[in-house]
Amino acid sequence: MDQLPTKDQIRQWITDHPTQTAKRDIAKAFGIKGGALRIELKRLLKEMEGEGALTRTRRAFREAGTLPPVTILRVTGPDAAGDLFATPLEWEGEGDPPRILMRAAPSDALGAGDRVLARLTAVEGEDHAYDGRLIRKIGSNPLRILGVFRAGSEGGRIVPVDKGQDKEWTVGRDDTDGARDGELVEAEAASKRLGLPRARIVARLGDPTAPRAISLIAIHQHGIPDHFPDAVVAEADAAQPAPMGARTDLRDLPLVTIDPADARDHDDAVFAEADPDPANAGGHVVWVAIADVAHYVRPGSALDREARRRGNSTYFPDRVVPMLPDTLSGDLCSLHEGVDRPCLAVRMVLDADGNKLSHRFVRGMMRSAASLTYGQVQAAQDGTPDDRTAPMMARVIAPLYAASAAAMTARDRRQPLNLDLPERRIELTEEGKVSSVAFRERLDAHKLIEEFMILANVAAAEELIRLRRPLLFRVHEEPSPEKLDALREVAEASGFTLAKGQVLKTAHLNKLLSQAENTDFDELMNLTTLRSMTQAYYHPENFGHFGLALKNYAHFTSPIRRYSDLIVHRALISGHGWGDDGLSGFDTENLGDTAKMISDTERRSMLAERDTNDRYLAAWLSDRIGAEFTGRISGVQRFGLFVKLDETGADGLIPIRSLGHEFFHHDADAHALIGADSGRVLGVGQRVLVRLVEAAPITGGLMLELLEVEGDTLPRSPRRKGRFSPRKPAKMDRKRRVISRKR
């Protein structure tokens, strides 16, 4: 369209599309491009606003005398017939504000004076102008409680499942929602009565001990969205396979996916070959192809809004809460073997020493030559290929390992943080019960894929910096001085050194870790170094990645499960002019808010996954009460000691009250408890023998009893008559506070 729409056309568009009324939405609807026409559109909208035909709210317009589809209301109370009405909190039209009938469910519990956020639908032929449906109350966001309901004569009580919360809640007879004794429920805090905390049950979640209930507890406890709105599912179901169009044809490249055997999706594929360029003797060409999620998840769509809200997929031993519906994540966006799939791919050239010489991005169409597992690929490289991998050795697998060896050489020179912390794997039966707990095997095939993904992420960041396009960097800042001092103290107490007075580099930390390697303090130093690190996050500004020892880093390789990667894909699409599904105005204007949101959702998922693993481990150990386990003290607090068990990696608590009748001082600087009478030091890193006293699957808590420390039995004082707690001395000998933990 090479001319402006009429005022009537604009008014009709706003009436028909109440959620697409920003200036850019209007411009897009009428095909207005170019600076001159956009300036004229801005002038026309301002003129209509001056005439009173439109009302402007922030960046959007609406027809004068109307309300936006989502607005804040004040409930005015029921009429004589019992119908509940509301009025808009802000009204800019002429005359009285429109009358709004609240279509409230009994559970909404609305009353006169409540301020609510509501979704409005205009109605005709009624004595009110709109129907309103509650989204949420404003200024009334009650605390949510997840726990086990215990029935009583006057209602009951709720025992929280959070092991960090020991307060119980009372539930009135009319607030139980029919919950049965022992049932897992979700409740919200209500008003107090006689000083007792009260709650109202809002959802019944079933038997807390039933198989697969453990991850459900974490989902509700952490507020992870696990149900897709109808509009989101409808958009996903309507999606069709992407056409070839102007894409680069990569279907002849034998790209393969390499994933865990239980992988739920395949969003990256790789291929490598020797560089045919004689100027790069011994060099390699590496292709990394990533699912083109941006083609299906368009800016501003219902899919996009929901993906941004979720931020990422969350993985549990028995289920995944995906960022995208399965139609996309498990099918159209998944790089299945033998089918055409759209992708964004990067071709990287490495020299013989693994240095990246160049890269080139394309928007292409690929066809996976094979869906392989890490174990398959490693076995093939080790000399025992199966029927699937044997024909691929010379053309695919051997070149991948050759390129990987070069890349790992460059990695060793770069010296990223080299932590060695085994990852535990919880295996479940088909019924959802724990069958085994073991540590994941770390293969060269894992390292191969990991290093190629890092290279691709670096290339994406460098490309967008070159194109001067906004993006979300993956940021990891160096440890704070306080955390470094704490790490240094643990290192010195363990017999190692971490130099002072120099700019910290990952190489310094790697030197510390190498000192501890193959000693009794190996795991301790790895764990303590990890705890000294800051949390990585997303940000529109580039502050570098300390842990990877990289100046430029962005997430590009997992757009099926991370919204950050989708933003990077859109930035590449915009930067290269590959289509109209690149970064939107909203994406660019709200980049900081998006970074904060998805950093928060990532932390939420990490906590939920950790809590779920703790609960599964407690369930696994619950039939071994009284058994003895070896482990190492992993944390010290005023209230007790945390011990990481060797067999499972589970963490348990030794309460300070169980350490006999000697009083123990907490020395926070030394990360130790020190006996007031004996001078015995119980500190981080010491080997211990413990007895399992309690395992609570619902909370994930393990309670332990200390039996031995570094092979010595803990002496216990006889109980003093009339005393129920350890004696606290008036003053502690200063010398005892500096006793080495090596004693």
Side-chain angles (χ1 to χ4, degrees):
M1 183 173 185
D2 57 1
Q3 61 183 12
L4 289 175
T6 66
K7 293 179 180 179
D8 285 339
Q9 287 175 318
I10 291 175
R11 278 193 292 267
Q12 188 60 48
W13 168 263
I14 291 173
T15 299
D16 295 340
H17 306 85
T19 63
Q20 302 176 47
T21 59
K23 185 178 73 175
R24 63 176 177 271
D25 295 323
I26 297 171
K28 185 175 181 180
F30 294 99
I32 296 174
K33 299 179 180 178
L37 278 178
R38 286 183 177 272
I39 291 172
E40 284 299 306
L41 175 63
K42 183 177 180 180
R43 180 197 58 76
L44 179 59
L45 292 172
K46 192 170 183 179
E47 182 180 312
M48 294 176 70
E49 186 181 357
E51 294 171 353
L54 293 182
T55 299
R56 182 175 183 141
T57 59
R58 295 186 181 178
R59 297 185 179 88
F61 294 86
R62 68 172 186 268
E63 191 174 359
T66 63
L67 291 173
V70 174
T71 193
I72 298 176
L73 310 175
R74 179 182 289 110
V75 178
T76 57
D79 62 6
D83 291 329
L84 198 64
F85 285 88
T87 186
L89 204 63
E90 296 181 359
W91 172 244
E92 300 175 359
E94 297 180 1
D96 295 332
R99 202 162 179 244
I100 302 162
L101 173 63
M102 292 301 299
R103 300 290 187 180
S107 60
D108 290 342
L110 297 179
D114 285 344
R115 295 169 68 234
V116 300
L117 183 69
R119 188 174 304 280
L120 304 183
T121 304
V123 296
E124 296 181 0
E126 302 286 349
D127 61 351
H128 57 280
Y130 296 89
D131 284 343
R133 297 190 182 276
L134 177 71
I135 296 176
R136 63 179 172 86
K137 292 183 180 180
I138 301 295
S140 176
N141 187 21
L143 174 70
R144 287 287 174 129
I145 304 131
L146 191 73
V148 176
F149 177 67
R150 295 301 180 190
S153 58
E154 296 298 323
R157 57 191 173 90
I158 295 174
V159 181
V161 298
D162 188 346
K163 60 185 174 185
Q165 184 180 149
D166 56 6
K167 179 172 63 177
E168 296 185 358
W169 300 75
T170 60
V171 181
R173 183 180 300 170
D174 298 330
D175 294 328
T176 64
D177 194 32
R180 296 188 298 272
D181 184 68
E183 196 168 21
L184 185 67
V185 298
E186 185 176 19
E188 60 183 29
S191 59
K192 290 185 178 180
R193 185 176 302 171
L194 300 178
L196 298 175
R198 297 182 64 85
R200 177 173 64 91
I201 294 175
V202 295
R204 298 167 55 190
L205 305 176
D207 181 359
T209 64
R212 307 189 187 279
I214 288 177
S215 57
L216 186 63
I217 291 173
I219 288 168
H220 282 266
Q221 184 178 8
H222 292 277
I224 295 174
D226 64 337
H227 175 75
F228 285 107
D230 291 344
V232 175
V233 175
E235 278 190 5
D237 289 346
Q240 298 295 321
M244 181 67 192
R247 294 177 181 274
T248 301
D249 194 343
L250 304 177
R251 288 175 291 186
D252 288 337
L253 275 181
L255 289 153
V256 296
T257 62
I258 305 175
D259 294 292
D262 59 352
R264 297 173 170 97
D265 52 54
H266 309 280
D267 54 7
D268 58 80
V270 293
F271 171 69
E273 61 184 348
D275 188 359
D277 186 350
N280 186 30
H284 307 269
V285 174
V286 176
W287 282 89
V288 174
I290 307 298
D292 187 359
V293 176
H295 173 80
Y296 298 100
V297 183
R298 302 294 178 111
S301 64
L303 276 166
D304 181 42
R305 291 192 298 272
E306 183 67 11
R308 183 174 183 265
R309 182 170 78 100
R310 295 182 176 222
N312 50 266
S313 299
T314 306
Y315 293 86
F316 300 106
D318 66 328
R319 74 182 77 201
V320 60
V321 180
M323 187 178 79
L324 302 172
D326 187 63
T327 303
L328 298 182
S329 62
D331 186 12
L332 291 177
C333 292
S334 195
L335 307 179
H336 294 308
E337 179 179 336
V339 296
D340 291 358
R341 286 291 182 260
C343 65
L344 264 64
V346 57
R347 180 185 188 270
M348 298 175 288
V349 178
L350 311 182
D351 66 16
D353 294 324
N355 301 303
K356 181 168 70 67
L357 302 180
S358 65
H359 65 253
R360 175 172 60 89
F361 282 86
V362 299
R363 195 174 197 183
M365 185 71 73
M366 64 160 285
R367 183 182 296 153
S368 172
S371 293
L372 305 175
T373 69
Y374 287 115
Q376 267 186 305
V377 173
Q378 190 63 55
Q381 178 66 12
D382 291 344
T384 56
D386 59 18
D387 292 343
R388 298 278 292 121
T389 54
M392 309 182 75
M393 281 301 304
R395 178 78 169 103
V396 177
I397 295 176
L400 281 172
Y401 275 88
S404 173
M408 294 303 291
T409 300
R411 180 189 187 279
D412 292 341
R413 288 196 303 273
R414 193 177 81 241
Q415 285 262 344
L417 187 59
N418 190 28
L419 288 172
D420 182 18
L421 288 168
E423 182 184 359
R424 64 192 177 204
R425 178 184 178 85
I426 296 172
E427 296 279 0
L428 303 180
T429 65
E430 291 185 1
E431 293 77 26
K433 294 183 178 180
V434 181
S435 60
S436 66
V437 177
F439 291 98
R440 291 182 187 270
E441 189 176 9
R442 179 79 168 155
L443 305 172
D444 286 343
H446 290 98
K447 299 175 184 177
L448 178 155
I449 293 298
E450 182 180 277
E451 196 59 29
F452 286 166
M453 296 305 112
I454 290 173
L455 283 170
N457 287 337
V458 170
E462 292 176 348
E463 182 75 355
L464 291 173
I465 291 171
R466 181 185 72 81
L467 294 170
R468 298 184 178 181
R469 292 284 165 170
L471 73 149
L472 290 178
F473 291 95
R474 181 63 169 177
V475 173
H476 183 229
E477 298 181 87
E478 66 181 46
S480 67
E482 295 77 15
K483 288 191 174 183
L484 272 181
D485 287 342
L487 172 61
R488 190 174 286 109
E489 288 173 1
V490 174
E492 290 173 355
S494 304
F496 311 122
T497 58
L498 177 61
K500 279 186 175 181
Q502 56 186 330
V503 176
L504 182 70
K505 296 181 179 179
T506 48
H508 300 139
L509 298 174
N510 287 339
K511 185 176 180 180
L512 171 63
L513 294 172
S514 67
Q515 294 175 55
E517 190 173 1
N518 297 323
T519 72
D520 288 343
F521 297 95
D522 193 346
E523 184 180 357
L524 167 67
M525 292 314 307
N526 275 272
L527 187 61
T528 309
T529 301
L530 175 64
R531 288 175 175 171
S532 73
M533 293 295 107
T534 59
Q535 177 75 48
Y537 62 95
Y538 297 102
H539 202 277
E541 295 182 58
N542 186 11
F543 302 119
H545 199 294
F546 174 79
L548 292 175
L550 292 168
K551 293 181 180 179
N552 306 305
Y553 195 66
H555 275 164
F556 160 75
T557 55
S558 295
I560 288 178
R561 61 184 179 91
R562 292 190 305 228
Y563 194 79
S564 57
D565 305 51
L566 178 57
I567 291 292
V568 169
H569 278 224
R570 287 176 180 167
L572 288 167
I573 291 167
S574 296
H576 289 280
W578 286 332
D580 62 357
D581 48 357
L583 284 179
S584 67
F586 177 89
D587 288 336
T588 303
E589 293 166 14
N590 293 276
L591 209 56
D593 290 342
T594 299
K596 176 66 168 59
M597 280 184 62
I598 63 178
S599 295
D600 289 345
T601 59
E602 178 185 48
R603 291 188 183 95
R604 177 181 68 185
S605 292
M606 289 172 62
L607 288 172
E609 291 166 1
R610 186 192 68 189
D611 288 352
T612 298
N613 284 342
D614 287 347
R615 289 186 172 100
Y616 271 119
L617 288 171
W620 169 246
L621 294 170
S622 61
D623 61 352
R624 300 177 68 182
I625 302 298
E628 297 180 1
F629 299 89
T630 58
R632 191 181 292 276
I633 297 176
S634 59
V636 179
Q637 295 294 333
R638 188 175 300 277
F639 52 81
L641 305 168
F642 287 99
V643 172
K644 183 174 287 293
L645 303 181
D646 295 333
E647 181 181 327
T648 61
D651 291 296
L653 173 66
I654 301 173
I656 195 169
R657 66 177 181 272
S658 71
L659 295 177
H661 298 285
E662 178 181 11
F663 183 86
F664 278 84
H665 287 273
H666 176 229
D667 190 328
D669 293 334
H671 304 280
L673 295 177
I674 304 175
D677 296 328
S678 66
R680 175 175 288 276
V681 178
L682 302 175
V684 170
Q686 291 177 322
R687 299 287 306 171
V688 295
L689 178 69
V690 296
R691 178 181 290 118
L692 180 61
V693 176
E694 180 182 334
I698 292 178
T699 64
L702 298 178
M703 204 71 71
L704 308 172
E705 178 187 359
L706 182 60
L707 302 177
E708 295 180 3
V709 181
E710 299 289 358
D712 295 333
T713 303
L714 184 71
R716 297 181 180 277
S717 305
R719 180 180 293 275
R720 294 181 176 90
K721 186 176 180 180
R723 300 296 296 267
F724 297 96
S725 61
R727 175 181 60 84
K728 182 175 182 179
K731 188 175 182 180
M732 183 182 182
D733 186 347
R734 171 65 182 166
K735 291 181 179 179
R736 288 178 179 169
R737 294 181 58 83
V738 295
I739 294 175
S740 168
R741 274 182 287 139
K742 294 180 183 178
R743 174 172 172 173

